[in-house]
Amino acid sequence: MSCLSRFYIREPHSTNETNRVHNTCVRRDSTWSQKLTALTICVSGLLIVQLIVQPVPVQADIVYTYVGNLFNDIDDWTPPVGSYDTSMSVTGSFTMASALAPNLSNQGILPNTFSFSDGRNLLTHTTSLSSESFVVSTNSLGDIVEWFIFLETALAIDPIRSIFTTNNLSIFPDIVDQGGIAPHGGNADTGRVFNNPGVWSVHVIPEPGCSLLLMGMSAFLLSRRRVRV
């Protein structure tokens, strides 16, 4: 339907009248467009305020990430094939459904997921393991200050692979990060660093709900900007 037919019943009888009607429609179109733009900005602002004041209740995963220091003590045998070197270290992370509580002391935990590497091995929650130990202590803020983490593949697997990191002298006599590969009946390749523990960091991974809300709001803004009356 044309602008003329939307706003007027009769057709104009002259060129001057046609121009007058056209100019009137243009002005009305401009006015409606400005009103719609103002309304869009207002609604968008309210959505943003609501998101800040009343955030959508969503679950989140808490990821604890460890970065160890480089190995400086290497044992190398053949077999196994390959060797550790001083560019390698223990690194990894584990995921919890909620943050660790403050002031834990030698608390055994069961992560939802985990993944640790020593430069040659990658052991995760999907790996067939014979040993899986996570023991942590936290400070008043819930940060990890002491830990004992030991992962080792099933004994039936040849070679046996292990990753170990601890600074907890109440559980183990050394502060050490270590990776190892041990063929059945042979000597183990190891990479280690003593008395130089790494550092932990923590971050939150939000569930899709919050991200979807933000995406939907952005799409709303973009679609409104394209509207023409």
Side-chain angles (χ1 to χ4, degrees), residues 123 128-131 150-155 160-163:
L123 305 182
S128 178
L129 300 173
S130 63
S131 296
F150 178 67
L151 305 171
E152 185 176 71
T153 56
L155 299 180
I160 298 172
R161 301 173 183 272
S162 64
I163 296 176

Side-chain angles (χ1 to χ4, degrees), residues 32-201:
W32 278 102
S33 178
Q34 291 173 3
K35 289 181 178 179
L36 182 58
T37 300
L39 178 61
T40 300
I41 293 173
C42 180
V43 172
S44 303
L46 290 174
L47 286 173
I48 293 172
V49 170
Q50 184 175 13
L51 181 63
I52 295 172
V53 176
Q54 288 184 302
V56 178
V58 294
Q59 297 296 319
D61 288 330
I62 314 298
V63 180
Y64 294 85
T65 300
Y66 179 74
V67 178
N69 290 295
L70 299 178
F71 296 148
N72 57 16
D73 185 351
I74 308 295
D75 286 333
D76 184 32
W77 299 84
T78 303
V81 176
S83 62
Y84 288 97
D85 61 51
T86 55
S87 70
M88 298 176 181
S89 63
V90 171
T91 59
S93 64
F94 65 85
T95 302
M96 303 292 290
S98 58
L100 295 172
N103 301 315
L104 295 177
S105 179
N106 291 343
Q107 178 66 51
I109 60 172
L110 294 174
N112 290 344
T113 65
F114 62 84
S115 176
F116 280 80
S117 170
D118 63 6
R120 295 177 70 185
N121 302 317
L122 178 64
L123 305 182
T124 77
H125 58 281
T126 64
T127 305
S128 178
L129 300 173
S130 63
S131 296
E132 175 187 332
S133 297
F134 287 82
V135 180
V136 299
S137 298
T138 60
N139 61 16
S140 60
L141 300 177
D143 300 323
I144 297 174
V145 292
E146 288 186 331
W147 63 92
F148 175 94
I149 296 173
F150 178 67
L151 305 171
E152 185 176 71
T153 56
L155 299 180
I157 299 175
D158 189 10
I160 298 172
R161 301 173 183 272
S162 64
I163 296 176
F164 177 42
T165 175
T166 184
N167 74 337
N168 191 329
L169 294 176
S170 68
I171 298 178
F172 195 76
D174 293 311
I175 296 173
V176 61
D177 284 1
Q178 176 177 298
I181 301 177
H184 289 183
N187 294 311
D189 275 8
T190 57
R192 292 184 292 255
V193 56
F194 289 98
N195 300 316
N196 193 10
V199 295
W200 288 94
S201 61

